[in-house]
């Protein structure tokens, strides 16, 4: 029995947050031994909003360096850049022809993003989940680690795989979502009722992975709490403190109960400093490695070229099968 296949990706939009790290990359690292992992840098998806080309190129390479700095090992996992494997766009076109307008209209992310970018509701934004389905199905992924916000897209991916398989016979593996444990959802420090976001407009709401230690400390000190002054987990009544506890727990592995005991009789001030120090220590090795890698463009190029080659050879098998079945001449 071979290992189960994993595929996941993050959009190359720059400025990753602690949420991306604890909710995704840090878990990806742990999966490398047990699974056959493919980690993609989703740069085609970023075209659904307007980008500066030079920035996009930089963001793409920065994300690659960050994956490696965070411990994704190119010798264990396949790391590649989406646009370098043209088959993604090809399969997306085919799948578009098997996806109903009604299905895409129901996607909550489409509704949210259209509201946010009312001046640029392009058809890429609408078919975004179809490209994501192509990313996943090309690799015959068994499991797709995603956050809550991507679950609906994964549901659609499953529907498309099943639809295609039922017309043409077994072609695609129907993937399962792989929702990660406690820390899967890191919330904003200023608005702990919404997810920590790369693009939050609220100052001090997000911890960025390249924040210097003094900035991290400052942001945690300013984090919104409540007036009880007791470190206790209660998402409804105490979303701020609960979020800080989740972050602390995700890094230290301590249970909520143990954290409550640890800070019994201590105020929020002490707790915030402890969380900040833990985060600073956790990010330090990655930040150092990142600074080293980002200037080593030859090395980065070697990794993405080798990744694209490997990705192509896997994806091409799937696409050839699809093309044969639907009547394309090979
Ligand atoms: N849409 C995902 C996000 O914004 C990124 C993504 C693109 C992805 N393709 C994927 C995630 C395939 C998992 C699998 O987070």
């Amino acid at each position: 029995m071979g290992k189960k296949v994993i595929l996941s990706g993050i959009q190359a939009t720059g400025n990753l947050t602690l949420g991306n790290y604890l909710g995704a990359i840090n878990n990806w690292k742990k999966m490398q031994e047990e699974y056959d992992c493919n980690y993609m840098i989703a740069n085609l998806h970023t075209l659904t909003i307007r980008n500066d080309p030079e920035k996009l190129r930089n963001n793409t390479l920065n994300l690659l360096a960050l994956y490696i700095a965070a411990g994704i090992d190119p010798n264990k996992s396949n790391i590649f850049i989406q646009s370098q494997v043209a088959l993604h766009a090809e399969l997306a076109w085919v799948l578009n022809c098997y996806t109903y307008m009604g299905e895409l209209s129901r996607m909550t992310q489409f509704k949210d993003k259209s509201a946010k970018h009312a001046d640029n509701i392009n058809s890429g934004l609408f078919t975004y989940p179809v490209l994501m389905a192509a990313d996943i199905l090309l690799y015959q992924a068994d499991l797709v680690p995603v956050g809550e916000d991507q679950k609906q897209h994964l549901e659609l991916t499953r529907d498309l795989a099943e639809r295609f398989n039922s017309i043409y016979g077994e072609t695609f593996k129907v993937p399962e979502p792989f929702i990660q444990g406690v820390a899967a959802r890191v919330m904003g420090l200023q608005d702990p009722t919404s997810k920590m976001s790369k693009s939050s407009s609220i100052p001090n709401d997000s911890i960025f992975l390249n924040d210097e230690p003094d900035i991290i400390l400052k942001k945690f000190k300013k984090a919104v709490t409540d007036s009880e002054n007791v470190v206790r987990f209660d998402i409804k009544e105490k979303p701020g403190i609960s979020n800080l506890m989740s972050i602390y727990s995700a890094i230290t592995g301590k249970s909520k109960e143990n954290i409550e005991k640890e800070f019994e009789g201590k105020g929020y001030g002490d707790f915030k400093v402890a969380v900040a120090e833990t985060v600073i220590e956790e990010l330090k090795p990655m930040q150092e490695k990142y600074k080293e890698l980002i200037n080593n463009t030859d090395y980065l190029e070697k990794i993405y070229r080798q990744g694209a080659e490997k990705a192509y050879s896997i994806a091409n098998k799937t696409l050839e099968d699809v093309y044969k079945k639907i009547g394309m001449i090979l």
Side-chain angles (χ1 to χ4, degrees):
M1 280 294 284
K3 291 179 179 174
K4 286 201 168 174
V5 176
I6 282 194
L7 180 126
S8 200
I10 297 180
Q11 279 202 61
T13 47
N15 262 355
L16 261 66
T17 69
L18 184 63
N20 297 114
Y21 176 75
L22 291 177
I25 305 178
N26 193 39
N27 294 317
W28 295 0
K29 177 174 72 187
K30 297 176 193 154
M31 294 168 187
Q32 296 183 100
E33 314 295 333
E34 203 179 326
Y35 301 99
D36 185 356
C37 298
N38 300 281
Y39 297 126
M40 184 184 77
I41 293 148
N43 57 344
L44 291 173
H45 275 111
T46 66
L47 299 176
T48 51
I49 56 165
R50 287 284 167 271
N51 295 292
D52 173 66
E54 201 48 44
K55 262 198 199 130
L56 176 53
R57 244 187 303 274
N58 284 334
N59 286 341
T60 305
L61 293 180
N62 292 353
L63 190 51
L64 173 68
L66 196 75
Y67 280 7
I68 302 169
I72 312 264
D73 179 349
N75 295 315
K76 292 182 186 156
S77 299
N78 186 32
I79 309 177
F80 66 97
I81 299 172
Q82 187 183 31
S83 65
Q84 293 208 309
V85 186
L87 312 180
H88 289 241
E90 289 186 74
L91 183 63
W93 168 252
V94 174
L95 293 177
N96 264 317
C97 301
Y98 295 81
T99 310
Y100 301 113
M101 305 280 286
E103 287 176 305
L104 294 177
S105 310
R106 283 194 292 275
M107 295 291 129
T108 56
Q109 191 169 77
F110 171 67
K111 292 185 213 165
D112 292 350
K113 287 197 179 168
S114 322
K116 235 176 160 177
H117 304 280
D119 56 337
N120 183 19
I121 306 178
N122 58 70
S123 49
L125 198 61
F126 192 59
T127 59
Y128 178 110
V130 182
L131 177 59
M132 181 163 158
D135 297 337
I136 297 165
L137 298 179
L138 276 175
Y139 298 86
Q140 307 288 346
D142 295 281
L143 298 167
V144 183
V146 283
E148 272 314 310
D149 60 325
Q150 298 297 314
K151 252 174 92 176
Q152 201 185 20
H153 293 164
L154 199 62
E155 273 308 313
L156 177 75
T157 305
R158 290 168 53 84
D159 290 345
L160 293 180
E162 280 166 0
R163 183 170 305 154
F164 196 96
N165 289 348
S166 77
I167 306 174
Y168 300 101
E170 208 50 37
T171 308
F172 297 122
K173 178 71 74 47
V174 181
E176 303 280 341
F178 197 14
I179 305 283
Q180 276 115 32
V182 270
R185 216 168 147 77
V186 175
M187 312 304 275
L189 298 185
Q190 292 301 317
D191 176 8
T193 59
S194 347
K195 193 174 130 172
M196 185 179 281
S197 154
K198 292 188 260 196
S199 53
S200 174
S201 52
I202 316 169
N204 303 314
D205 196 45
S206 302
I207 300 286
F208 295 108
L209 295 183
N210 59 1
D211 277 346
E212 297 289 340
D214 56 323
I215 300 288
I216 296 178
L217 182 63
K218 184 192 89 182
K219 287 181 178 175
F220 275 107
K221 281 186 170 167
K222 288 193 168 161
V224 161
T225 53
D226 54 75
S227 57
E228 193 189 31
N229 214 25
V230 176
V231 176
R232 180 170 69 79
F233 195 81
D234 181 341
I235 295 253
K236 273 222 166 63
E237 299 297 323
K238 301 162 71 70
I241 284 295
S242 302
N243 184 39
L244 297 184
M245 287 178 74
S246 296
I247 293 170
Y248 192 63
S249 163
I251 298 174
T252 60
K254 292 176 187 169
S255 69
K256 304 277 155 64
E257 295 73 36
N258 282 342
I259 299 171
E260 286 172 1
K261 269 195 209 112
E262 185 179 346
F263 292 95
E264 213 173 84
K266 293 183 187 152
Y268 289 166
D270 288 348
F271 178 53
K272 285 175 164 182
V273 171
V275 178
E277 280 172 354
T278 310
V279 170
I280 290 165
E281 279 311 303
E282 175 73 13
L283 298 184
K284 204 161 133 199
M286 178 173 74
Q287 292 180 333
E288 281 166 6
K289 185 96 200 282
Y290 175 84
K291 281 182 193 149
E292 223 176 274
L293 284 167
I294 200 61
N295 294 315
N296 197 342
T297 43
D298 289 349
Y299 173 73
L300 293 178
E301 179 169 349
K302 191 184 116 210
I303 297 301
Y304 70 68
R305 294 231 179 271
Q306 136 196 331
E309 214 172 289
K310 178 154 181 231
Y312 179 89
S313 73
I314 305 168
N316 193 42
K317 288 201 191 86
T318 303
L319 192 71
E320 279 196 358
D321 186 28
V322 168
Y323 273 0
K324 248 184 240 157
K325 284 175 168 155
I326 60 176
M328 297 295 113
I329 291 177
L330 292 181

